[in-house]
Amino acid sequence: MDRDFLIDLFVDFGPVTIRRMFSGFGISADGTNFALALRSGLYFRADEITIPQFETEGSQPFQYQTRTKTVTVGSYWQLPARLFDDSEELAQWARAALAAAQRAALKKRTKVRKAVPRGAAGKKKPAKKKAGTKRLAR
């Protein structure tokens, strides 16, 4: 898939930003990455709300091979091939993928806030002076 094909594919969805990523492209809207276009296909962001829709279509999550194992990335699922011919329905799936990506980003921010105690971020202890050292005037 090339950049022009992807721009045409998302015409009913709205403007997207397409950036080089790994062996393909990352696709984002409103600053949120929601799709990957790779040699093996087009993958949309998915979560517990949207995964059943992908499963109903017989789609699979994104997988890649390392030297020792197959890694499954359950947060990106392959777009059903039939949607390449239906830009209006593809736009609906893309909106759902963007919503899933936004929900994931919100969860991530919430976890980060919980991990750092309030007021602790950005505070540093003053540096200790070494005993017996003098500051030289310039």
Side-chain angles (χ1 to χ4, degrees):
M1 284 180 240
D2 67 3
R3 184 180 298 273
D4 292 332
F5 174 77
L6 292 170
I7 290 169
D8 289 343
L9 195 62
F10 287 96
V11 73
D12 285 338
F13 170 76
V16 293
T17 301
I18 300 171
R19 291 195 177 104
R20 272 246 167 255
M21 180 183 223
F22 308 119
S23 63
F25 298 99
I27 303 164
S28 61
D30 301 326
T32 302
N33 194 29
F34 71 93
L36 300 173
L38 305 170
R39 283 183 232 139
S40 57
L42 184 59
Y43 297 86
F44 277 6
R45 181 69 189 222
D47 63 7
E48 64 278 350
I49 295 171
T50 59
I51 287 174
Q53 186 176 12
F54 286 95
E55 290 174 331
T56 299
E57 293 282 341
S59 294
Q60 298 293 316
F62 173 62
Q63 294 182 333
Y64 64 93
Q65 197 72 32
T66 68
R67 291 182 191 186
T68 58
K69 63 182 177 178
T70 300
V71 177
T72 300
V73 181
S75 58
Y76 283 90
W77 283 65
Q78 190 162 25
L79 188 70
R82 69 177 184 79
L83 295 176
F84 286 91
D85 296 326
D86 188 345
S87 63
E88 288 179 20
E89 190 174 357
L90 184 137
Q92 292 171 357
W93 282 63
R95 282 189 277 281
L98 178 59
Q102 290 167 335
R103 285 189 295 272
L106 184 62
K107 282 182 185 177
K108 189 175 183 179
R109 278 192 299 252
T110 303
K111 284 182 183 178
V112 169
R113 285 186 184 146
K114 286 180 182 177
V116 178
R118 190 173 228 165
K123 289 187 179 180
K124 293 183 179 180
K125 292 182 180 179
K128 292 183 180 180
K129 293 183 181 179
K130 292 182 182 177
T133 59
K134 289 185 178 181
R135 186 175 252 184
L136 299 174
R138 291 185 186 197

